[in-house]
Amino acid sequence: LLKLRVNIKDRFVSDEGDSDHSSFNDVGIPNMFFFTGHHSDYHRVTDHSDKIDYHNLFKIAVASYLIVVHIANADERLVYSK
């Protein structure tokens, strides 16, 4: 079995502005934001595909799948909380 070892935070605060998840937060829709972290070229013209952390991308894909399956099979809907 995979050992994902992920760091989970219940809130994401960015010093570089909001990301796609912020529009869901604004209207109270439960959401998740997956992020592998900053690097020196993050959001710059020098940020090319060679900077992708494929190992962590894979872990995020697996974790996302497991979370979605769990939510889909849950007896209750998610509730948004601030």
Side-chain angles (χ1 to χ4, degrees):
L1 210 56
L2 295 172
K3 294 182 180 179
L4 295 178
R5 285 190 260 158
V6 295
N7 181 13
I8 298 174
K9 297 179 181 180
D10 65 350
R11 297 286 181 263
F12 177 78
V13 178
S14 172
D15 57 355
E16 295 190 19
D18 291 322
S19 192
D20 298 335
H21 71 289
S22 63
S23 59
F24 294 102
N25 282 337
D26 292 344
V27 294
I29 297 174
N31 62 85
M32 293 188 174
F33 179 78
F34 297 93
F35 184 61
T36 59
H38 291 278
H39 54 75
S40 60
D41 294 311
Y42 189 70
H43 281 181
R44 299 174 194 246
V45 296
T46 53
D47 190 358
H48 299 289
S49 62
D50 63 316
K51 307 295 189 315
I52 295 173
D53 182 344
Y54 288 99
H55 178 71
N56 280 327
L57 177 62
F58 175 77
K59 290 179 7 179
I60 287 172
V62 171
S64 300
Y65 169 79
L66 295 172
I67 291 166
V68 168
V69 167
H70 177 77
I71 292 170
N73 290 319
D75 292 333
E76 298 177 15
R77 290 181 59 162
L78 292 178
V79 176
Y80 182 83
S81 64
K82 287 188 174 195

